[in-house]
């Protein structure tokens, strides 16, 4: 099998290590194979592919699409190095408000599967980073939502010793508790 599927501390979040076939010419790897993913509990139809480029110290997130436009994501870093974060925002989940953080890089070639019901963000640890990811739903601007990257209730350890570069949107996202209060 060309993949190793490693369940993370939050149910349904899976780290995927692809098998790399390399020699002096370069390398080859499969980045997605529907049958292998289905056989390992990832039975999602991906409908959109995205590619982003960010410079050093950029932090993007925490973003999600509001139901019924929620998206599952399969994220990988094609160039550079990042910490990728998935926060469980599924109402009633026993791990609600908890997060998974993994390092994704062009060197390790790992991928992170993030199911629907999670907010997603990342911080760039290299001079530049390019993120490539599949999404199970198409982007809907009316469903675009976010949570503050430094929410004290979530308390993400970004492991950074610099002030991150944020968009105005990400600087002003609400805290998770405010999002919950709005739904009442």
């Amino acid at each position: 099998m060309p993949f190793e599927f490693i369940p993370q501390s939050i149910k349904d979040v899976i780290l995927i290590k692809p098998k790399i076939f390399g020699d002096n010419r370069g390398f080859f790897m499969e980045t997605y194979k529907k049958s292998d993913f289905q056989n390992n509990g990832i039975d999602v139809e991906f409908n959109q592919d995205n590619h982003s480029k960010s410079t050093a110290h950029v932090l993007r997130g925490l973003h999600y699409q509001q139901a019924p436009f929620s998206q599952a994501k399969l994220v990988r870093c094609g160039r550079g190095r990042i910490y990728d974060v998935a926060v469980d925002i599924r109402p009633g989940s026993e791990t609600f408000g908890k997060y998974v953080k993994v390092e994704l890089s062009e060197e390790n070639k790992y991928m992170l599967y993030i199911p629907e019901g999670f907010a997603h963000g990342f911080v760039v640890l290299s001079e530049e980073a390019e993120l490539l990811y599949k999404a199970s739903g198409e982007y809907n601007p009316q469903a675009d939502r976010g949570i503050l990257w430094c929410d004290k209730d979530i308390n993400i350890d970004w492991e950074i010793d610099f002030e991150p570069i944020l968009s105005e949107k990400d600087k002003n996202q609400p805290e998770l508790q405010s999002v919950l209060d709005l739904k009442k």
Side-chain angles (χ1 to χ4, degrees), residues 4 11 20 64 108 115 119 125 128-129 136 152 160 165 168:
E4 181 182 355
K11 185 177 175 7
I20 311 301
Y64 66 98
N108 68 27
L125 305 171
E128 289 184 332
S136 64
K152 290 175 182 36
I160 55 176
I165 301 168
E168 284 304 310

Side-chain angles (χ1 to χ4, degrees), residues 48-55 58-61 63 73-85 102-106 108 110-112 114 120-126 128-134 158:
Q48 182 172 318
D49 283 358
N50 300 311
H51 184 157
S52 75
K53 179 181 176 183
S54 301
T55 58
V58 165
L59 191 149
R60 296 184 187 263
H63 302 149
K73 294 178 180 176
L74 179 62
V75 183
R76 67 185 179 96
C77 184
R79 183 168 161 228
R81 183 173 152 249
I82 65 164
Y83 280 134
D84 202 56
V85 175
V102 297
E103 183 178 316
L104 303 178
S105 70
E106 66 183 297
N108 68 27
Y110 297 169
M111 297 177 277
L112 188 65
I114 304 167
H120 173 249
F122 66 91
V123 64
V124 177
L125 305 171
S126 52
E128 289 184 332
E130 293 189 34
L131 222 64
L132 303 116
Y133 60 98
K134 296 183 164 303
W158 291 96

